[in-house]
Amino acid sequence: PEDGLMVHPVWWGQQMGRWPDGLGPFEKIFAELRAINTLHERAFGQALFRSSERPDDFGWILRPSQHEFDHFIHELDKLLSENLRHDAFDLHDVPRKDDQGNNIGTINRLDRLLEMRGSSADARIEVLEPLREVRRARQRPAHALRKNVTDKSFVRKQADLLERIGLTLEQLRHFFQSHPANTDWE
């Protein structure tokens, strides 16, 4: 405890017979993705994310190494920013290209959607920063040679990032839940 480390909930369940209350961070993410898709489909006739299913190799890193963490980041980015449907943003008339004619990525299109619906710049920055952080972290290994170092802090970084991503998805769910077509949704 003095190092800020916590025992993993699975260990508590398997070794001590104590089971955690509520959803774990991975299940929370997929529950939020499913809810966002349902809300978006109810309001606009199409899901926002292509898939809300958990990939087979998406879970806790078992070896706290740079390679394992990079793989986790790669999968998380595919699950979030690459999983957003461009045609769903077309339903909202969010432009595909910027003023210079460059393609706009999905996170930036989501930012523009939130802006078009009245979200403040500060709120958008707060909500979308974890998604942008994942995107930046994914691009680092693609553009540099890296040593496969082992560091116990990778597990804590993963847990912290999952918590922030869960909160981001929760806030996006609240945004889509406020649409008039979703007032009766529970």
Side-chain angles (χ1 to χ4, degrees):
E2 56 275 356
D3 290 337
L5 299 175
M6 297 177 0
V7 178
H8 193 279
V10 172
W11 183 86
W12 278 115
Q14 291 178 345
Q15 302 298 320
M16 304 302 288
R18 297 182 190 163
W19 297 99
D21 294 331
L23 297 175
F26 291 99
E27 187 54 39
K28 177 178 175 53
I29 287 172
F30 292 98
E32 295 294 355
L33 289 175
R34 287 189 295 273
I36 290 168
N37 272 350
T38 299
L39 292 165
H40 197 272
E41 196 164 345
R42 284 173 54 121
F44 307 104
Q46 184 179 61
L48 184 63
F49 291 95
R50 286 184 191 94
S51 174
S52 58
E53 298 301 316
R54 183 174 179 168
D56 291 336
D57 61 344
F58 187 69
W60 291 110
I61 56 176
L62 300 179
R63 281 178 252 127
S65 68
Q66 185 70 58
H67 175 74
E68 292 289 319
F69 188 72
D70 289 346
H71 177 71
F72 164 74
I73 291 292
H74 183 83
E75 291 297 309
L76 185 59
D77 187 55
K78 286 194 300 188
L79 180 69
L80 298 171
S81 65
E82 288 187 19
N83 197 19
L84 286 164
R85 301 169 66 110
H86 275 287
D87 49 347
F89 293 116
D90 293 342
L91 295 172
H92 299 281
D93 295 324
V94 178
R96 283 186 179 245
K97 297 192 180 279
D98 63 14
D99 295 337
Q100 290 77 33
N102 299 319
N103 290 332
I104 301 173
T106 54
I107 296 174
N108 288 331
R109 288 188 83 193
L110 180 57
D111 186 17
R112 288 186 181 207
L113 170 63
L114 296 174
E115 179 183 24
M116 290 167 54
R117 299 294 184 251
S119 294
S120 70
D122 290 340
R124 293 190 328 269
I125 289 169
E126 180 183 334
V127 168
L128 298 177
E129 180 53 32
L131 300 178
R132 289 191 164 111
E133 179 183 337
V134 169
R135 183 49 123 175
R136 285 189 302 270
R138 180 180 179 186
Q139 290 174 344
R140 276 188 217 120
H143 300 289
L145 295 173
R146 294 170 82 148
K147 286 183 123 181
N148 189 23
V149 298
T150 299
D151 184 349
K152 67 182 179 180
S153 70
F154 284 129
V155 177
R156 175 59 28 215
K157 287 178 187 177
Q158 182 186 30
D160 291 341
L161 185 57
L162 286 170
E163 183 179 350
R164 291 195 328 270
I165 292 293
L167 290 173
T168 287
L169 293 173
E170 184 178 336
Q171 290 171 321
L172 289 173
R173 175 178 48 84
H174 288 300
F175 172 77
F176 289 111
Q177 192 173 351
S178 69
H179 189 277
N182 293 320
T183 56
D184 63 337
W185 183 81
E186 292 184 23

